Amino acid sequence: MARKIGFYGVLAYVLYGLFFYWYLFHFADTSLQFEYEGSKADPATFLNGRELMLSEEYSKIRNLLFFLSTPFEWLFYLFILLLGFGNAFKKWAGQSTKFKLVQTAIYLFWLSLFAFLATTPISYISYALSKSYNISTQSFSSWMKDELIDFWVNFGMMIIIVGVLYWLINKSSKRWWLYAWLLSIPFTLFLMFLQPVIIDPLYNDFYPLKDKELEAKILALADKADIPAEHVFEVNMAEKTNALNAYVNGIGSNSRIVLWDTTLNRLNDEQILFIMAHEMAHYVEKHIYFGIAGYLLLSLVGLYLTARIMEYVIGRWGNVLKIPQVNDIRSLPLFLMILSMLLFISSPLSNFVSRYQELRADQFAIEMTRDTQAGIETFQELTRAGLSQVNPPLLVKIFRYGHPTMLERISMIEEFEINNKVKETK
Protein backbone atom coordinates (compact mmCIF):
# COMPACT_ATOMS: atom_id res chain seq x y z
CA MET A 1 0.00 0.00 0.00
CA ALA A 2 2.87 2.39 0.85
CA ARG A 3 4.43 1.79 -2.58
CA LYS A 4 1.10 2.40 -4.27
CA ILE A 5 0.56 5.70 -2.45
CA GLY A 6 4.13 6.75 -3.21
CA PHE A 7 3.79 5.84 -6.90
CA TYR A 8 0.54 7.77 -7.30
CA GLY A 9 2.03 10.70 -5.40
CA VAL A 10 5.01 10.91 -7.78
CA LEU A 11 2.76 10.37 -10.82
CA ALA A 12 0.43 13.18 -9.72
CA TYR A 13 3.39 15.51 -9.20
CA VAL A 14 4.85 14.71 -12.65
CA LEU A 15 1.49 15.22 -14.39
CA TYR A 16 0.96 18.45 -12.44
CA GLY A 17 4.43 19.70 -13.48
CA LEU A 18 3.85 18.79 -17.13
CA PHE A 19 0.52 20.62 -17.11
CA PHE A 20 2.06 23.83 -15.81
CA TYR A 21 5.00 23.54 -18.22
CA TRP A 22 2.53 23.23 -21.11
CA TYR A 23 0.35 26.02 -19.73
CA LEU A 24 3.16 28.52 -19.17
CA PHE A 25 5.31 27.80 -22.24
CA HIS A 26 2.78 26.77 -24.89
CA PHE A 27 -0.78 27.73 -23.99
CA ALA A 28 -0.89 30.98 -21.96
CA ASP A 29 -1.17 34.15 -24.02
CA THR A 30 0.49 37.22 -22.49
CA SER A 31 -0.03 39.52 -25.44
CA LEU A 32 -2.07 42.68 -24.91
CA GLN A 33 -5.58 43.23 -26.17
CA PHE A 34 -5.82 45.57 -29.13
CA GLU A 35 -7.03 48.58 -27.10
CA TYR A 36 -3.87 48.54 -24.94
CA GLU A 37 -1.38 48.39 -27.82
CA GLY A 38 0.64 51.58 -28.01
CA SER A 39 -0.60 52.76 -24.61
CA LYS A 40 1.73 53.56 -21.71
CA ALA A 41 0.95 50.08 -20.35
CA ASP A 42 2.29 48.43 -23.51
CA PRO A 43 5.78 47.12 -22.64
CA ALA A 44 6.85 47.70 -26.25
CA THR A 45 6.65 51.45 -25.53
CA PHE A 46 9.10 51.44 -22.60
CA LEU A 47 11.16 48.24 -22.89
CA ASN A 48 13.62 47.50 -25.68
CA GLY A 49 13.52 44.25 -27.65
CA ARG A 50 16.05 42.47 -25.44
CA GLU A 51 14.24 43.49 -22.25
CA LEU A 52 10.95 42.24 -23.69
CA MET A 53 12.50 38.87 -24.54
CA LEU A 54 14.23 38.52 -21.18
CA SER A 55 11.11 39.44 -19.19
CA GLU A 56 9.09 36.73 -20.95
CA GLU A 57 11.82 34.10 -20.51
CA TYR A 58 12.53 34.94 -16.89
CA SER A 59 8.87 35.15 -15.89
CA LYS A 60 7.99 31.79 -17.46
CA ILE A 61 10.82 29.93 -15.71
CA ARG A 62 10.25 31.70 -12.39
CA ASN A 63 6.52 30.94 -12.51
CA LEU A 64 7.20 27.29 -13.30
CA LEU A 65 9.54 27.06 -10.30
CA PHE A 66 6.82 28.56 -8.11
CA PHE A 67 4.22 26.01 -9.19
CA LEU A 68 6.69 23.13 -8.76
CA SER A 69 8.10 24.09 -5.36
CA THR A 70 5.00 23.97 -3.14
CA PRO A 71 3.73 20.51 -4.25
CA PHE A 72 7.32 19.27 -3.96
CA GLU A 73 7.06 20.12 -0.27
CA TRP A 74 3.93 17.94 -0.02
CA LEU A 75 5.73 15.10 -1.76
CA PHE A 76 8.65 15.45 0.64
CA TYR A 77 6.40 15.11 3.71
CA LEU A 78 4.58 12.18 2.13
CA PHE A 79 7.83 10.25 1.65
CA ILE A 80 9.03 11.14 5.15
CA LEU A 81 5.91 9.32 6.37
CA LEU A 82 5.93 6.42 3.90
CA LEU A 83 9.63 5.61 4.32
CA GLY A 84 9.46 5.69 8.11
CA PHE A 85 11.85 8.59 8.65
CA GLY A 86 9.50 9.88 11.34
CA ASN A 87 10.13 6.67 13.30
CA ALA A 88 13.88 7.15 12.93
CA PHE A 89 13.73 10.79 14.05
CA LYS A 90 11.66 9.85 17.09
CA LYS A 91 14.02 7.00 17.92
CA TRP A 92 17.09 9.23 17.71
CA ALA A 93 15.36 11.81 19.91
CA GLY A 94 14.39 9.18 22.49
CA GLN A 95 17.94 7.82 22.64
CA SER A 96 19.36 11.31 23.21
CA THR A 97 17.38 12.44 26.25
CA LYS A 98 14.49 11.61 28.56
CA PHE A 99 13.09 15.14 28.57
CA LYS A 100 9.98 15.39 26.39
CA LEU A 101 10.56 18.97 25.26
CA VAL A 102 14.16 18.25 24.27
CA GLN A 103 12.99 15.13 22.39
CA THR A 104 10.56 17.31 20.44
CA ALA A 105 13.37 19.76 19.63
CA ILE A 106 15.64 16.95 18.40
CA TYR A 107 12.85 15.44 16.29
CA LEU A 108 12.21 18.89 14.81
CA PHE A 109 15.89 19.41 14.09
CA TRP A 110 16.12 16.22 12.03
CA LEU A 111 12.88 16.93 10.19
CA SER A 112 13.97 20.54 9.50
CA LEU A 113 17.41 19.40 8.36
CA PHE A 114 16.01 16.83 5.91
CA ALA A 115 13.52 19.44 4.61
CA PHE A 116 16.34 21.95 4.20
CA LEU A 117 18.47 19.45 2.25
CA ALA A 118 15.52 18.43 0.06
CA THR A 119 14.38 21.96 -0.83
CA THR A 120 17.76 23.71 -1.11
CA PRO A 121 18.31 22.55 -4.74
CA ILE A 122 15.08 24.29 -5.83
CA SER A 123 16.02 27.38 -3.82
CA TYR A 124 19.45 27.38 -5.45
CA ILE A 125 17.95 27.06 -8.94
CA SER A 126 15.76 30.08 -8.19
CA TYR A 127 18.79 32.01 -6.91
CA ALA A 128 20.93 31.02 -9.92
CA LEU A 129 18.11 31.99 -12.29
CA SER A 130 17.76 35.48 -10.82
CA LYS A 131 21.55 35.81 -10.88
CA SER A 132 21.78 34.82 -14.56
CA TYR A 133 19.14 37.41 -15.50
CA ASN A 134 20.90 40.09 -13.44
CA ILE A 135 18.06 40.43 -10.95
CA SER A 136 20.15 39.12 -8.07
CA THR A 137 23.55 40.62 -7.30
CA GLN A 138 24.05 38.45 -4.21
CA SER A 139 27.14 36.31 -3.80
CA PHE A 140 26.72 32.60 -3.13
CA SER A 141 28.13 32.96 0.40
CA SER A 142 25.67 35.74 1.19
CA TRP A 143 22.77 33.71 -0.25
CA MET A 144 23.83 30.67 1.78
CA LYS A 145 24.07 32.82 4.91
CA ASP A 146 20.46 33.97 4.41
CA GLU A 147 19.34 30.37 3.87
CA LEU A 148 20.99 29.30 7.14
CA ILE A 149 19.47 32.25 9.01
CA ASP A 150 16.08 31.15 7.64
CA PHE A 151 16.75 27.62 8.86
CA TRP A 152 17.62 28.63 12.43
CA VAL A 153 14.91 31.29 12.76
CA ASN A 154 12.25 28.85 11.53
CA PHE A 155 13.65 26.07 13.72
CA GLY A 156 13.56 28.30 16.80
CA MET A 157 9.96 29.33 16.17
CA MET A 158 8.92 25.75 15.38
CA ILE A 159 10.24 24.52 18.73
CA ILE A 160 7.82 26.87 20.47
CA ILE A 161 4.90 26.30 18.11
CA VAL A 162 5.17 22.51 17.88
CA GLY A 163 5.88 22.09 21.60
CA VAL A 164 2.72 24.02 22.48
CA LEU A 165 0.70 22.38 19.69
CA TYR A 166 1.32 18.79 20.82
CA TRP A 167 0.83 19.74 24.46
CA LEU A 168 -2.61 21.04 23.47
CA ILE A 169 -3.37 17.91 21.41
CA ASN A 170 -2.53 15.74 24.44
CA LYS A 171 -4.68 17.91 26.71
CA SER A 172 -7.70 18.12 24.39
CA SER A 173 -7.91 15.72 21.46
CA LYS A 174 -11.18 17.30 20.22
CA ARG A 175 -10.64 21.05 20.60
CA TRP A 176 -6.89 21.44 20.34
CA TRP A 177 -7.28 23.32 17.04
CA LEU A 178 -9.41 26.00 18.73
CA TYR A 179 -7.01 26.48 21.65
CA ALA A 180 -4.06 26.56 19.22
CA TRP A 181 -5.81 29.29 17.24
CA LEU A 182 -6.55 31.35 20.36
CA LEU A 183 -2.88 31.19 21.36
CA SER A 184 -1.80 32.07 17.83
CA ILE A 185 -3.44 35.52 18.11
CA PRO A 186 -1.05 37.05 20.69
CA PHE A 187 1.86 35.10 19.17
CA THR A 188 1.18 36.54 15.67
CA LEU A 189 0.88 40.09 17.02
CA PHE A 190 4.06 39.63 19.07
CA LEU A 191 5.98 38.44 15.98
CA MET A 192 4.72 41.38 13.90
CA PHE A 193 5.84 43.73 16.67
CA LEU A 194 9.31 42.14 16.80
CA GLN A 195 9.93 41.65 13.08
CA PRO A 196 11.16 45.16 12.16
CA VAL A 197 13.58 45.41 15.08
CA ILE A 198 14.69 41.81 15.71
CA ILE A 199 14.11 39.54 12.69
CA ASP A 200 14.63 41.82 9.65
CA PRO A 201 18.02 43.15 10.86
CA LEU A 202 19.35 39.56 10.85
CA TYR A 203 19.31 39.71 7.05
CA ASN A 204 20.10 43.35 6.23
CA ASP A 205 21.25 46.61 7.75
CA PHE A 206 18.57 49.25 8.39
CA TYR A 207 19.33 52.90 9.07
CA PRO A 208 17.53 56.26 8.90
CA LEU A 209 17.23 57.69 5.40
CA LYS A 210 20.46 59.51 4.58
CA ASP A 211 18.89 61.97 2.14
CA LYS A 212 17.39 64.37 4.68
CA GLU A 213 15.83 66.57 2.01
CA LEU A 214 13.93 63.59 0.62
CA GLU A 215 13.04 62.47 4.15
CA ALA A 216 11.54 65.92 4.82
CA LYS A 217 9.39 65.59 1.69
CA ILE A 218 8.22 62.13 2.74
CA LEU A 219 7.42 63.24 6.28
CA ALA A 220 5.51 66.24 4.89
CA LEU A 221 3.49 63.81 2.78
CA ALA A 222 2.90 61.67 5.89
CA ASP A 223 1.74 64.74 7.81
CA LYS A 224 -0.66 65.57 4.98
CA ALA A 225 -2.13 62.07 5.39
CA ASP A 226 -2.26 62.44 9.21
CA ILE A 227 0.34 59.72 9.73
CA PRO A 228 2.49 60.12 12.88
CA ALA A 229 5.78 59.18 11.17
CA GLU A 230 9.09 60.43 12.56
CA HIS A 231 11.63 58.51 10.49
CA VAL A 232 11.96 56.77 7.15
CA PHE A 233 14.40 53.86 6.95
CA GLU A 234 16.51 52.61 4.10
CA VAL A 235 17.95 49.13 3.78
CA ASN A 236 21.08 48.06 1.90
CA MET A 237 19.62 45.73 -0.75
CA ALA A 238 21.90 46.73 -3.65
CA GLU A 239 24.41 44.05 -2.63
CA LYS A 240 21.68 41.43 -3.08
CA THR A 241 19.36 42.56 -5.88
CA ASN A 242 18.64 45.03 -8.65
CA ALA A 243 14.90 44.85 -7.98
CA LEU A 244 13.05 47.79 -6.42
CA ASN A 245 10.80 47.81 -3.36
CA ALA A 246 9.40 49.82 -0.47
CA TYR A 247 7.09 48.72 2.31
CA VAL A 248 5.53 49.39 5.68
CA ASN A 249 5.70 46.66 8.31
CA GLY A 250 5.39 46.13 12.02
CA ILE A 251 2.65 47.32 14.33
CA GLY A 252 2.37 49.90 17.09
CA SER A 253 5.51 51.80 18.02
CA ASN A 254 7.67 49.41 15.98
CA SER A 255 5.98 50.14 12.62
CA ARG A 256 8.39 51.33 9.94
CA ILE A 257 8.38 52.87 6.48
CA VAL A 258 11.27 51.23 4.61
CA LEU A 259 12.87 52.02 1.25
CA TRP A 260 15.32 49.75 -0.51
CA ASP A 261 18.48 51.60 -1.54
CA THR A 262 17.98 50.25 -5.08
CA THR A 263 14.74 52.26 -5.18
CA LEU A 264 16.58 55.37 -4.01
CA ASN A 265 19.30 54.83 -6.64
CA ARG A 266 17.00 54.31 -9.64
CA LEU A 267 13.95 56.51 -9.02
CA ASN A 268 13.69 60.30 -8.76
CA ASP A 269 12.10 62.11 -5.82
CA GLU A 270 8.65 62.40 -7.46
CA GLN A 271 8.55 58.67 -8.18
CA ILE A 272 9.68 57.84 -4.64
CA LEU A 273 7.00 60.13 -3.21
CA PHE A 274 4.41 58.28 -5.29
CA ILE A 275 5.59 54.97 -3.82
CA MET A 276 5.54 56.45 -0.32
CA ALA A 277 2.00 57.72 -0.83
CA HIS A 278 1.03 54.20 -1.87
CA GLU A 279 2.59 52.73 1.28
CA MET A 280 0.98 55.37 3.46
CA ALA A 281 -2.41 54.35 2.08
CA HIS A 282 -2.00 50.97 3.77
CA TYR A 283 -1.66 52.79 7.10
CA VAL A 284 -4.50 55.24 6.45
CA GLU A 285 -6.92 52.51 5.33
CA LYS A 286 -5.69 50.14 8.09
CA HIS A 287 -4.81 47.39 5.62
CA ILE A 288 -2.29 45.91 8.04
CA TYR A 289 -4.99 45.30 10.64
CA PHE A 290 -7.48 44.01 8.08
CA GLY A 291 -4.73 41.69 6.89
CA ILE A 292 -4.15 40.41 10.43
CA ALA A 293 -7.89 39.83 10.90
CA GLY A 294 -8.13 38.00 7.56
CA TYR A 295 -5.11 35.87 8.37
CA LEU A 296 -6.53 34.92 11.76
CA LEU A 297 -9.90 34.02 10.23
CA LEU A 298 -8.26 31.85 7.59
CA SER A 299 -6.02 30.22 10.21
CA LEU A 300 -9.08 29.33 12.32
CA VAL A 301 -10.73 27.61 9.35
CA GLY A 302 -7.40 26.06 8.35
CA LEU A 303 -6.68 24.59 11.79
CA TYR A 304 -10.21 23.17 12.04
CA LEU A 305 -9.97 21.53 8.62
CA THR A 306 -6.47 20.27 9.38
CA ALA A 307 -7.72 18.61 12.58
CA ARG A 308 -10.61 16.91 10.79
CA ILE A 309 -8.48 15.78 7.84
CA MET A 310 -5.75 14.45 10.14
CA GLU A 311 -8.29 12.36 12.09
CA TYR A 312 -9.67 10.91 8.86
CA VAL A 313 -6.28 10.18 7.26
CA ILE A 314 -4.79 8.60 10.39
CA GLY A 315 -7.95 6.58 10.99
CA ARG A 316 -7.81 5.17 7.45
CA TRP A 317 -4.09 5.06 6.55
CA GLY A 318 -2.37 5.45 9.92
CA ASN A 319 -0.61 2.07 9.65
CA VAL A 320 0.69 2.79 6.16
CA LEU A 321 1.91 6.25 7.14
CA LYS A 322 3.34 4.89 10.39
CA ILE A 323 1.31 7.29 12.56
CA PRO A 324 -0.38 5.52 15.51
CA GLN A 325 -2.43 8.54 16.63
CA VAL A 326 -2.81 12.30 16.21
CA ASN A 327 -0.98 13.21 19.43
CA ASP A 328 2.16 11.34 18.36
CA ILE A 329 4.96 13.64 17.16
CA ARG A 330 5.25 11.45 14.05
CA SER A 331 2.02 13.04 12.81
CA LEU A 332 3.80 16.39 12.39
CA PRO A 333 4.77 15.86 8.70
CA LEU A 334 1.11 15.11 7.96
CA PHE A 335 0.04 18.25 9.84
CA LEU A 336 2.53 20.38 7.87
CA MET A 337 1.54 18.81 4.55
CA ILE A 338 -2.19 19.39 5.07
CA LEU A 339 -1.64 22.96 6.28
CA SER A 340 0.55 23.71 3.25
CA MET A 341 -2.11 22.31 0.91
CA LEU A 342 -4.82 24.42 2.51
CA LEU A 343 -2.66 27.54 2.27
CA PHE A 344 -2.09 26.88 -1.42
CA ILE A 345 -5.80 26.28 -2.05
CA SER A 346 -6.74 29.48 -0.18
CA SER A 347 -4.09 31.63 -1.88
CA PRO A 348 -6.42 32.79 -4.70
CA LEU A 349 -8.75 34.28 -2.09
CA SER A 350 -5.99 35.95 -0.04
CA ASN A 351 -4.35 37.24 -3.23
CA PHE A 352 -7.68 38.65 -4.43
CA VAL A 353 -8.11 40.60 -1.19
CA SER A 354 -4.48 41.78 -1.35
CA ARG A 355 -4.89 42.95 -4.97
CA TYR A 356 -7.96 44.95 -3.96
CA GLN A 357 -6.04 46.64 -1.13
CA GLU A 358 -3.09 47.38 -3.42
CA LEU A 359 -5.42 48.88 -6.01
CA ARG A 360 -6.93 51.10 -3.30
CA ALA A 361 -3.40 52.16 -2.32
CA ASP A 362 -2.59 53.04 -5.96
CA GLN A 363 -5.75 55.14 -6.18
CA PHE A 364 -4.87 56.87 -2.89
CA ALA A 365 -1.37 57.68 -4.18
CA ILE A 366 -2.74 59.22 -7.38
CA GLU A 367 -5.34 61.27 -5.51
CA MET A 368 -2.73 62.43 -3.00
CA THR A 369 0.16 63.30 -5.32
CA ARG A 370 -1.84 64.15 -8.47
CA ASP A 371 1.33 63.15 -10.33
CA THR A 372 0.23 60.68 -13.00
CA GLN A 373 3.54 60.84 -14.85
CA ALA A 374 5.50 59.80 -11.76
CA GLY A 375 3.04 56.94 -11.13
CA ILE A 376 3.29 55.58 -14.68
CA GLU A 377 7.09 55.93 -14.82
CA THR A 378 7.40 54.19 -11.44
CA PHE A 379 5.45 51.14 -12.59
CA GLN A 380 7.38 51.06 -15.87
CA GLU A 381 10.68 51.12 -13.96
CA LEU A 382 9.46 48.41 -11.57
CA THR A 383 8.65 46.26 -14.62
CA ARG A 384 12.10 46.85 -16.11
CA ALA A 385 14.00 46.25 -12.85
CA GLY A 386 12.19 42.99 -12.03
CA LEU A 387 11.74 41.75 -15.62
CA SER A 388 8.05 41.35 -14.82
CA GLN A 389 5.31 40.44 -17.25
CA VAL A 390 2.92 43.34 -17.78
CA ASN A 391 0.05 40.93 -18.55
CA PRO A 392 0.77 37.58 -16.80
CA PRO A 393 -1.24 34.39 -17.47
CA LEU A 394 -4.50 34.03 -15.55
CA LEU A 395 -3.35 31.19 -13.25
CA VAL A 396 -0.17 33.07 -12.42
CA LYS A 397 -2.20 36.13 -11.49
CA ILE A 398 -4.61 34.07 -9.37
CA PHE A 399 -1.99 32.08 -7.44
CA ARG A 400 0.99 34.46 -7.38
CA TYR A 401 -0.06 38.06 -7.61
CA GLY A 402 -0.81 39.94 -4.40
CA HIS A 403 -0.66 43.17 -6.47
CA PRO A 404 -2.63 44.14 -9.56
CA THR A 405 -0.80 43.42 -12.80
CA MET A 406 1.26 46.24 -14.29
CA LEU A 407 -1.28 46.40 -17.12
CA GLU A 408 -4.03 47.10 -14.59
CA ARG A 409 -1.97 49.57 -12.56
CA ILE A 410 -0.73 51.69 -15.47
CA SER A 411 -4.10 51.57 -17.24
CA MET A 412 -5.82 52.78 -14.07
CA ILE A 413 -3.53 55.82 -13.95
CA GLU A 414 -4.07 56.52 -17.66
CA GLU A 415 -7.84 56.37 -17.12
CA PHE A 416 -7.50 58.78 -14.17
CA GLU A 417 -5.44 61.08 -16.41
CA ILE A 418 -8.08 61.06 -19.16
CA ASN A 419 -10.95 61.65 -16.73
CA ASN A 420 -9.06 64.57 -15.19
CA LYS A 421 -8.55 66.20 -18.56
CA VAL A 422 -12.24 65.77 -19.39
CA LYS A 423 -13.20 67.48 -16.10
CA GLU A 424 -10.79 70.35 -16.78
CA THR A 425 -12.29 71.01 -20.22
CA LYS A 426 -15.84 71.27 -18.81
Side-chain angles (χ1 to χ4, degrees):
M1 186 64 176
R3 288 184 178 181
K4 189 175 181 180
I5 293 175
F7 171 77
Y8 283 119
V10 172
L11 180 63
Y13 181 71
V14 170
L15 292 175
Y16 166 91
L18 289 173
F19 167 77
F20 273 103
Y21 175 80
W22 166 79
Y23 175 76
L24 294 170
F25 286 85
H26 299 288
F27 177 77
D29 183 11
T30 59
S31 61
L32 300 186
Q33 294 176 350
F34 174 76
E35 59 264 32
Y36 295 111
E37 291 181 3
S39 70
K40 293 175 183 177
D42 185 350
T45 64
F46 60 89
L47 298 180
N48 61 41
R50 177 171 171 76
E51 288 171 336
L52 281 169
M53 179 193 70
L54 291 177
S55 66
E56 283 297 313
E57 284 181 359
Y58 177 67
S59 296
K60 285 176 181 178
I61 301 171
R62 184 182 60 172
N63 290 331
L64 181 61
L65 284 173
F66 166 80
F67 282 111
L68 291 178
S69 60
T70 302
F72 179 80
E73 181 185 345
W74 310 339
L75 200 63
F76 165 77
Y77 288 128
L78 178 63
F79 275 89
I80 286 289
L81 295 168
L82 293 176
L83 297 176
F85 281 106
N87 289 337
F89 299 158
K90 187 175 181 179
K91 181 181 178 183
W92 298 340
Q95 290 173 344
S96 302
T97 181
K98 293 181 180 180
F99 296 102
K100 194 73 175 176
L101 184 61
V102 181
Q103 287 179 1
T104 299
I106 293 172
Y107 177 94
L108 269 174
F109 173 79
W110 286 111
L111 179 63
S112 300
L113 180 62
F114 273 60
F116 178 78
L117 294 174
T119 57
T120 292
I122 293 180
S123 298
Y124 176 75
I125 291 170
S126 180
Y127 158 72
L129 174 71
S130 61
K131 186 91 171 175
S132 66
Y133 280 85
N134 202 34
I135 303 295
S136 173
T137 58
Q138 191 173 18
S139 66
F140 175 78
S141 60
S142 173
W143 172 79
M144 198 68 229
K145 176 186 173 184
D146 284 350
E147 291 291 300
L148 291 173
I149 291 173
D150 272 344
F151 174 85
W152 289 111
V153 169
N154 291 333
F155 174 64
M157 287 194 293
M158 285 291 283
I159 289 176
I160 299 170
I161 294 168
V162 173
V164 172
L165 179 69
Y166 278 85
W167 178 78
L168 290 172
I169 294 174
N170 278 293
K171 289 293 182 181
S172 177
S173 60
K174 297 297 182 184
R175 293 190 178 87
W176 61 266
W177 57 272
L178 178 60
Y179 302 136
W181 177 76
L182 290 171
L183 286 175
S184 75
I185 297 173
F187 185 73
T188 299
L189 296 175
F190 181 65
L191 279 182
M192 291 192 70
F193 185 78
L194 285 186
Q195 184 172 340
V197 294
I198 301 295
I199 299 175
D200 288 349
L202 293 174
Y203 299 87
N204 300 99
D205 296 325
F206 292 77
Y207 32 83
L209 188 60
K210 296 172 187 171
D211 187 339
K212 295 304 175 186
E213 186 178 338
L214 176 60
E215 184 180 46
K217 292 179 182 178
I218 294 172
L219 293 178
L221 198 66
D223 183 61
K224 183 180 175 182
D226 293 324
I227 297 173
E230 295 181 3
H231 297 289
V232 179
F233 290 84
E234 62 178 283
V235 54
N236 60 329
M237 292 298 296
E239 62 187 30
K240 293 185 178 182
T241 183
N242 284 319
L244 313 180
N245 197 16
Y247 59 88
V248 176
N249 72 342
I251 56 174
S253 60
N254 277 2
S255 59
R256 284 184 172 182
I257 299 173
V258 179
L259 276 164
W260 286 11
D261 58 353
T262 51
T263 304
L264 293 165
N265 296 337
R266 292 184 62 163
L267 299 185
N268 60 39
D269 284 8
E270 288 71 27
Q271 293 164 348
I272 290 171
L273 288 174
F274 177 84
I275 290 178
M276 287 292 93
H278 170 100
E279 296 303 330
M280 289 171 190
H282 293 308
Y283 178 91
V284 171
E285 300 205 353
K286 297 179 171 54
H287 289 165
I288 293 173
Y289 298 101
F290 282 118
I292 293 171
Y295 165 77
L296 291 174
L297 178 61
L298 279 178
S299 65
L300 174 62
V301 176
L303 282 169
Y304 171 76
L305 291 175
T306 300
R308 298 287 80 85
I309 295 170
M310 281 182 73
E311 287 178 7
Y312 175 78
V313 170
I314 293 172
R316 184 164 182 178
W317 295 292
N319 290 336
V320 178
L321 299 175
K322 302 170 181 61
I323 307 173
Q325 49 196 359
V326 175
N327 65 353
D328 192 294
I329 190 66
R330 286 171 289 184
S331 69
L332 180 60
L334 178 63
F335 173 86
L336 296 174
M337 180 172 67
I338 295 170
L339 205 58
S340 176
M341 287 178 170
L342 292 175
L343 283 171
F344 185 76
I345 292 168
S346 67
S347 62
L349 174 61
S350 56
N351 285 339
F352 175 79
V353 174
S354 176
R355 286 196 301 272
Y356 172 75
Q357 291 180 336
E358 296 296 337
L359 180 61
R360 292 279 299 173
D362 286 347
Q363 292 169 341
F364 180 94
I366 286 296
E367 292 285 352
M368 190 174 193
T369 64
R370 314 297 290 186
D371 193 341
T372 55
Q373 182 179 349
I376 289 171
E377 289 175 350
T378 296
F379 291 139
Q380 290 175 341
E381 191 59 35
L382 285 169
T383 302
R384 180 181 292 107
L387 291 179
S388 306
Q389 287 174 311
V390 167
N391 186 33
L394 179 61
L395 290 181
V396 173
K397 176 183 173 181
I398 289 172
F399 282 95
R400 287 208 70 185
Y401 274 52
H403 289 72
T405 66
M406 288 302 179
L407 175 63
E408 293 167 335
R409 303 180 90 171
I410 296 174
S411 298
M412 183 271 294
I413 299 178
E414 280 196 293
E415 187 176 339
F416 177 89
E417 204 171 34
I418 292 168
N419 291 337
N420 240 18
K421 287 179 181 178
V422 170
K423 288 178 183 177
E424 288 172 2
T425 56
K426 288 183 178 180

